[in-house]
Amino acid sequence: MRENRCSWAAKAPYQHDQAGQPYHSFRGLLDHLATLTRNQVRFTGARATVPMLAEPTSTQREAFRLLGVPIPLTLK
């Protein structure tokens, strides 16, 4: 039986840790962390805006947990 090399080659770079989470390169992790957005929300009829953080992914939460810092709501 002939092995499907394309299928094997496509799966080779995708490795996971013991918890089933994919490994990231440093650049890949930074790119993923950059998708965590902070938005200014204005409710109908209100003048003030409220900062609102998008829901972090499990990878983003884990990165901040490992760093030992909370996910910042504001930039300094």
Side-chain angles (χ1 to χ4, degrees):
M1 183 173 186
R2 185 175 167 201
E3 181 182 347
N4 185 344
R5 289 191 177 272
C6 292
S7 175
W8 179 82
K11 293 177 185 175
Y14 300 101
Q15 297 181 6
H16 296 80
D17 64 14
Q18 292 177 346
Q21 296 295 315
Y23 287 117
H24 292 276
S25 66
F26 183 69
R27 180 78 231 161
L29 180 58
L30 288 178
D31 289 343
H32 185 71
L33 288 172
T35 66
L36 183 59
T37 60
R38 188 177 302 106
N39 303 297
Q40 292 293 341
V41 179
R42 183 181 314 211
F43 295 99
T44 304
R47 290 184 162 192
T49 60
V50 177
M52 189 175 229
L53 191 64
E55 185 66 30
T57 66
S58 60
T59 301
Q60 291 165 335
R61 287 181 192 279
E62 181 68 4
F64 279 96
R65 186 190 71 75
L66 290 170
L67 291 170
V69 296
I71 298 173
L73 183 58
T74 59
L75 296 174
K76 292 183 180 183

